[in-house]
Amino acid sequence: MEDCLIKKMEITVSEAEKRTGRNAMNMQETYTAYLIETRAVESQGEGQCAPVDSLWRRYSEFELLRNYLTVTYPHIVVPPLPEKRADFVWHKLSADNMDPDFVERRRIGLENFLLRVASHPVLCLDKMFYSFLTQEGGWKEMVNETGFQLKADSRLKALNATFRVKNPDKRFTELKHYSDELQSVISHLLRVRARVADRLYGVYKVHGNYGRVFSEWSAIEKEMGDGLQSAGHHMDVYAASIDDILEEEEHYADQLKEYLFYAEALRAVCRKHELMQYELEMAAQDLTSKKQQCEELATGTVRTFSLKGMTSKLFGQETPEQREAKIRILEEQIQEGEQQLKSKNLEGRDFVKSAWADIERFKEQKNHDLKEALISYAVMQISMCKKGIQVWTNAKECFSKM
């Protein structure tokens, strides 16, 4: 962990800016750019403040970086990006991706993504990631020149492997099932939270009616007037406080959403393993088939029905020279196949070892983060209830003085 970039560099996404420009189709578009600021940590220990380097990035560039990391490090649970458009929102919250509150939460999420990558023992060492933070011009061209898109597995290919792999690794199958369940549970939790927020908003705002009624009542009372007016003021303050409360709640919801998206990152690792296992099985099957063909040519016996066998019976046997040439070609292919199978076996073992080490690291991170988020959420709810009790305690005192 000492080599992690997070130990050597401060990274912040300090602000967001709405811009207008032309896209690849030469059509005008409005987008948000984010200011990334970095500062070297080393020189700060000497009492000197290192200069701040800054550059602007669009959300699409963050997407390109994450796609590159996912393809380049398929054995790693790559941190997810915050949502591009708001989801699981309660009715008073805007789903517009240009809404200032949403842009601010996404700015926080993008900073969190960079800090996650910078603190990862493997991802933090990647040169493209470092360039993303420090080199504004030409970065996209540099990433595309790596050719990572050519290494990306197609969805169809991965889906084919899922249904056709014969000996899936039980651990990865269970992990895939767990990621599905995790996504389902967090989705339900976020929906419940959105419904509660809707109702809570209504309950708080309706307390404003108490304030209005107490204020109107105070106008017709002499002895009770001041007490009623003061109680009404406390109700108005209580009704107005819900906006800040629910805005704070959104940050806890965003922490849960991060792990909603992490579930897909887990599945991506599982899909890659399935694909590798499928390719290994196909290579082994192809090698077995070639060995059988070679044996049949050498002995002149055919074990299984084949079009080639039927052709030989109808049009005559091959000459010894033709058979020898075919055997030589097959022997070369068998030798290549054995090397390929050995290579795929080693690659598969390395993948499993590396992937499982990162999955264990992720589990520790997840348990810590979700525990802290849920505790903080509970503390916030307790604080909110205490404020409600205080409001009614104040109102009681106002009524007692009447």
Side-chain angles (χ1 to χ4, degrees):
M1 290 296 289
E2 289 300 316
D3 292 332
C4 279
L5 191 61
I6 199 78
K7 301 281 185 182
K8 302 172 183 177
M9 181 186 280
E10 287 181 1
I11 304 167
T12 58
V13 178
S14 57
E15 63 178 276
E17 183 178 279
K18 190 175 178 180
R19 294 183 177 180
T20 304
R22 297 202 169 271
N23 60 20
M25 303 294 289
N26 201 33
M27 294 174 67
Q28 190 162 310
E29 62 173 348
T30 302
Y31 62 92
T32 306
Y34 298 87
L35 183 65
I36 301 172
E37 294 186 333
T38 55
R39 187 203 304 267
V41 173
E42 294 160 358
S43 58
Q44 291 183 42
E46 302 161 6
Q48 298 177 350
C49 195
V52 175
D53 292 318
S54 62
L55 50 79
W56 292 91
R57 295 280 185 215
R58 293 183 61 171
Y59 185 87
S60 58
E61 290 176 287
F62 280 88
E63 284 183 310
L64 181 61
L65 171 63
R66 189 179 183 278
N67 290 341
Y68 160 79
L69 293 173
T70 303
V71 172
T72 309
Y73 304 95
H75 58 283
I76 285 173
V77 185
V78 178
L81 291 169
E83 58 194 345
K84 194 164 188 175
R85 285 175 177 79
D87 202 359
F88 301 105
V89 295
W90 57 286
H91 81 281
K92 285 288 180 182
L93 202 68
S94 174
D96 178 13
N97 66 336
M98 287 294 174
D99 176 72
D101 290 334
F102 173 71
V103 169
E104 171 59 15
R105 290 199 310 278
R106 191 162 70 175
R107 179 197 66 76
I108 294 168
L110 291 172
E111 180 176 293
N112 184 59
F113 165 74
L114 294 179
L115 294 175
R116 291 278 196 209
V117 177
S119 59
H120 192 282
V122 176
L123 300 179
C124 72
L125 303 174
D126 186 85
K127 289 178 181 177
M128 289 299 139
F129 173 57
Y130 185 78
S131 298
F132 180 86
L133 298 172
T134 57
Q135 185 176 326
E136 189 161 14
W139 178 80
K140 286 169 77 172
E141 290 74 16
M142 281 172 60
V143 174
N144 289 326
E145 281 170 12
T146 64
F148 80 93
Q149 294 99 330
L150 300 173
K151 301 175 196 170
D153 302 314
S154 72
R155 285 274 177 182
L156 187 62
K157 194 176 175 185
L159 188 67
N160 184 44
T162 300
F163 288 108
R164 296 184 66 181
V165 68
K166 293 176 182 174
N167 299 301
D169 188 310
K170 188 181 176 183
R171 290 175 301 172
F172 283 93
T173 303
E174 288 174 353
L175 182 66
K176 197 174 180 183
H177 177 69
Y178 168 76
S179 67
D180 290 339
E181 292 294 315
L182 179 66
Q183 189 173 42
S184 175
V185 166
I186 293 179
S187 295
H188 288 151
L189 189 60
L190 287 165
R191 286 192 189 97
V192 169
R193 183 257 152 192
R195 287 201 298 271
V196 169
D198 271 331
R199 292 180 185 184
L200 204 58
Y201 183 84
V203 168
Y204 266 72
K205 288 300 181 185
V206 86
H207 276 72
N209 293 339
Y210 277 133
R212 180 175 52 79
V213 171
F214 286 148
S215 181
E216 290 172 356
W217 190 3
S218 71
I220 63 170
E221 300 286 353
K222 289 183 179 178
E223 291 82 6
M224 295 168 58
D226 289 345
L228 289 168
Q229 185 72 38
S230 297
H233 170 71
H234 288 301
M235 293 298 146
D236 288 337
V237 170
Y238 184 65
S241 67
I242 190 62
D243 297 294
D244 289 338
I245 289 168
L246 292 182
E247 181 58 37
E248 188 182 348
E249 265 201 17
E250 282 306 313
H251 294 296
Y252 295 115
D254 287 340
Q255 289 174 5
L256 289 175
K257 284 179 184 178
E258 183 186 18
Y259 280 92
L260 180 73
F261 305 140
Y262 255 125
E264 176 55 30
L266 274 176
R267 280 199 293 274
V269 175
C270 295
R271 282 197 300 268
K272 182 64 180 179
H273 180 263
E274 282 176 341
L275 188 57
M276 291 176 76
Q277 179 63 23
Y278 176 66
E279 287 174 350
L280 177 68
E281 290 174 4
M282 289 297 99
Q285 187 177 311
D286 185 56
L287 182 63
T288 302
S289 173
K290 282 186 167 57
K291 283 181 176 179
Q292 186 178 321
Q293 287 177 47
C294 192
E295 187 183 336
E296 287 172 356
L297 282 168
T299 59
T301 57
V302 179
R303 292 184 188 176
T304 55
F305 172 81
S306 69
L307 184 62
K308 202 175 283 184
M310 284 296 293
T311 306
S312 296
K313 285 180 180 179
L314 290 169
F315 300 104
Q317 296 289 329
E318 296 169 316
T319 64
E321 289 79 12
Q322 287 174 322
R323 273 205 310 275
E324 284 298 321
K326 282 189 176 181
I327 288 170
R328 279 197 299 274
I329 291 168
L330 280 169
E331 284 174 344
E332 286 175 12
Q333 290 175 346
I334 288 166
Q335 196 172 359
E336 286 174 11
E338 285 174 340
Q339 287 297 322
Q340 189 182 31
L341 192 62
K342 185 180 177 181
S343 174
K344 284 187 179 294
N345 264 312
L346 284 170
E347 188 184 350
R349 282 198 291 269
D350 288 344
F351 179 90
V352 170
K353 184 181 176 181
S354 301
W356 216 251
D358 196 64
I359 287 161
E360 290 300 325
R361 178 204 59 78
F362 166 76
K363 284 179 182 176
E364 284 184 25
Q365 171 196 300
K366 171 187 66 74
N367 294 344
H368 173 270
D369 289 351
L370 290 179
K371 177 184 173 183
E372 290 297 312
L374 292 170
I375 289 172
S376 297
Y377 184 70
V379 168
M380 195 202 82
Q381 297 296 321
I382 292 166
S383 173
M384 181 175 69
C385 292
K386 283 180 178 176
K387 285 176 184 175
I389 291 169
Q390 188 59 52
V391 163
W392 282 105
T393 303
N394 293 340
K396 178 191 168 188
E397 289 175 2
C398 293
F399 299 148
S400 299
K401 291 174 182 176
M402 288 192 303

